[in-house]
């Protein structure tokens, strides 16, 4: 890492070129973006930060940490148009294209995405093998946020699959979830939820700050048989864990619930808590579909004015196709 980058990284200072390129970032692609990769600051962790170009200094800044799912690389998670012979992983999340859709819909504000990957491509495995892992996770969040200190970023910590271990790691490292954490997102990633460790922190965070939002998307994985065996244990899947989370939160917040053959939707605190559980009568695997079918867009825009103006539907047809990189 270059010394100049380390200096501004530590101090949180920014320097711009005439094109508003952030120092250390490189203009990239055809969608007016800039990126930087950090690979040698934290043990076995790689972070790719993607920001708009130009950066809007007067807009609100949202810094989204996207903790990668197990088995996925950053490039797979970003996604691209696939051709014959390409790995199928390029077409199952499309976080880059969904981010571009978000930026186009809300063009006055800044949406920065920090793709956070453990070298083992598994946050649960990385945590098991890394001493003080939870405090390293907290340091990652705090340090990346400090890059954008001048813009007072609202921090969103989002996750899919095993990436939920990153979110719970952050929660485990703090006595109370800080006020600058505006939104926590679990997209089929609630495996690590432990009521005795996480319920009180979530409750206090939601109760004490009216800007905070919790988004939980899950599907009924308890009925899935894969290779002749249950996909998850009776209490280990996201269906069980997310419903346990909702049950525990209902002790403090009044939920309204709407259910049909497709979804069970729980809402509380004027939709600041949004939990959508997909029914699964045919025992299908919807793990990545929850992301690819506009799940990331929904998780960022729900409870905002942009959700009311939407032309997308969670678990509907992809609305971001024109934003997929070649």
């Amino acid at each position: 890492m270059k010394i100049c980058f380390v200096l501004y990284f530590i101090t949180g200072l920014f320097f711009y070129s005439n094109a508003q390129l952030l120092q250390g970032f490189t203009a990239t692609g055809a969608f007016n973006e800039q990126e930087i990769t950090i690979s040698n600051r934290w043990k076995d962790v790689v972070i790719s930060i993607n920001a708009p170009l130009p950066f809007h200094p007067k807009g609100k800044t949202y810094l989204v940490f996207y903790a990668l799912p197990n088995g996925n690389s950053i490039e797979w998670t970003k996604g691209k148009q696939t051709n014959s012979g390409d790995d199928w992983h390029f077409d199952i999340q499309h976080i880059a294209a969904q981010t571009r859709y978000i930026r186009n819909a809300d063009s006055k504000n800044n949406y920065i995405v920090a793709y956070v990957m453990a070298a083992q491509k598994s946050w649960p495995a990385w945590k098991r093998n890394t001493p003080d892992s939870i405090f390293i996770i907290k340091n990652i969040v705090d340090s990346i946020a400090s890059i954008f200190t001048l813009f007072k970023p609202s921090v969103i910590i989002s996750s899919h699959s095993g990436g939920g271990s990153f979110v719970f790691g952050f929660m485990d490292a703090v006595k109370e979830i800080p006020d600058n954490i505006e939104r926590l997102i679990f997209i089929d990633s609630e495996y690590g939820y432990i009521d005795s460790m996480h319920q009180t922190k979530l409750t206090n965070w939601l109760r004490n700050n009216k800007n905070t939002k919790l988004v939980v998307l899950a599907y009924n994985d308890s009925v899935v048989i894969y290779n002749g065996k249950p996909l998850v244990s009776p209490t280990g899947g996201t269906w069980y864990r997310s419903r346990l989370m909702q049950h525990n939160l209902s002790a403090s917040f009044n939920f309204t619930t709407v259910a049909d053959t497709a979804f069970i939707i729980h809402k509380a605190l004027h939709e600041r808590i949004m939990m959508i559980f997909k029914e699964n009568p045919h025992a299908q695997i919807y793990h990545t579909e929850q992301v690819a079918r506009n799940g990331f867009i929904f998780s960022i825009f729900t409870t905002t004015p942009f959700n009311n103006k939407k032309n997308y539907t969670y678990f509907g047809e992809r609305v971001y196709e024109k934003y997929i990189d070649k």
Side-chain angles (χ1 to χ4, degrees):
M1 189 179 299
K2 294 181 180 179
I3 294 176
C4 64
F5 173 70
V6 174
L7 181 60
Y8 96 79
F9 185 83
I10 293 173
T11 61
L13 297 177
F14 277 99
F15 301 92
Y16 290 85
S17 70
N18 291 333
Q20 292 187 309
L21 189 69
L22 301 177
Q23 183 169 328
F25 283 67
T26 301
T28 181
F31 293 97
N32 299 319
E33 297 171 346
Q34 53 185 312
E35 291 189 345
I36 192 169
T37 298
I38 305 168
S39 59
N40 59 351
R41 181 174 173 86
W42 297 280
K43 180 177 174 59
D44 294 329
V45 174
V46 180
I47 301 172
S48 176
I49 305 174
N50 178 283
L53 180 66
F55 200 85
H56 308 299
K58 294 184 180 180
K60 184 173 179 178
T61 296
Y62 297 94
L63 173 58
V64 184
F65 290 87
Y66 188 81
L68 267 62
N70 291 346
N72 281 246
S73 69
I74 290 173
E75 293 308 313
W76 287 346
T77 299
K78 290 179 178 179
K80 73 178 188 69
Q81 292 182 12
T82 54
N83 301 303
S84 178
D86 284 339
D87 193 288
W88 59 275
H89 287 86
F90 282 111
D91 193 42
I92 62 172
Q93 295 182 80
H94 288 296
I95 299 304
Q98 294 194 61
T99 300
R100 292 167 192 142
Y101 178 97
I102 290 167
R103 288 173 179 158
N104 182 70
D106 181 9
S107 59
K108 293 183 179 180
N109 297 314
N110 302 298
Y111 290 87
I112 302 163
V113 177
Y115 299 85
V116 191
M117 182 185 75
Q120 300 94 325
K121 296 182 181 178
S122 168
W123 283 108
W126 178 87
K127 285 172 66 177
R128 286 193 298 269
N129 294 298
T130 303
D132 295 326
S133 60
I134 62 175
F135 301 107
I136 294 173
I137 289 173
K138 182 180 183 300
N139 183 259
I140 289 171
V141 173
D142 292 345
S143 297
I144 298 300
S146 75
I147 297 177
F148 306 97
T149 295
L150 293 180
F151 303 100
K152 300 178 182 179
S154 293
V155 176
I156 298 170
I157 308 181
S158 177
S159 59
H160 173 45
S161 183
S165 184
F166 180 93
V167 186
F168 289 123
F170 178 84
M171 292 175 58
D172 293 342
V174 297
K175 184 176 180 180
E176 297 287 348
I177 302 173
D179 286 341
N180 71 318
I181 308 299
E182 181 174 298
R183 189 178 294 242
L184 295 177
I185 298 170
F186 297 92
I187 306 178
D188 216 44
S189 59
E190 306 84 1
Y191 303 98
Y193 173 72
I194 301 174
D195 47 1
S196 61
M197 295 176 62
H198 303 131
Q199 178 187 356
T200 299
K201 291 181 182 180
L202 285 172
T203 299
N204 291 342
W205 172 68
L206 289 162
R207 177 181 287 150
N208 297 335
N209 187 333
K210 293 183 179 180
N211 292 320
T212 54
K213 303 170 184 70
L214 173 66
V215 182
V216 178
L217 307 177
Y219 84 106
N220 190 350
D221 54 3
S222 69
V223 298
V224 178
I225 302 298
Y226 183 71
N227 288 337
K229 298 179 180 179
L231 183 66
V232 297
S233 69
T235 61
T238 61
W239 181 252
Y240 177 87
R241 290 290 161 183
S242 58
R243 295 177 77 189
L244 177 63
M245 182 188 292
Q246 189 276 328
H247 172 77
N248 291 337
L249 289 173
S250 68
S252 301
F253 306 112
N254 293 321
F255 280 84
T256 60
T257 299
V258 177
D260 56 25
T261 58
F263 299 103
I264 303 171
I265 303 174
H266 300 285
K267 303 176 184 179
L269 295 176
H270 302 287
E271 300 189 2
R272 285 174 44 217
I273 305 177
M274 176 68 72
M275 311 179 85
I276 301 181
F277 305 150
K278 176 160 178 50
E279 297 280 17
N280 191 12
H282 302 296
Q284 300 296 304
I285 298 177
Y286 293 122
H287 187 56
T288 58
E289 286 293 289
Q290 294 173 95
V291 181
R293 294 173 69 172
N294 310 324
F296 183 69
I297 296 169
F298 175 84
S299 71
I300 299 297
F301 273 170
T302 186
T303 72
T304 73
F306 297 97
N307 194 51
N308 298 329
K309 300 175 183 178
K310 65 185 180 183
N311 62 357
Y312 66 89
T313 303
Y314 167 59
F315 224 82
E317 295 298 318
R318 299 179 181 186
V319 296
Y320 53 82
E321 293 289 344
K322 69 179 182 179
Y323 298 109
I324 298 175
D325 210 349
K326 295 181 179 180

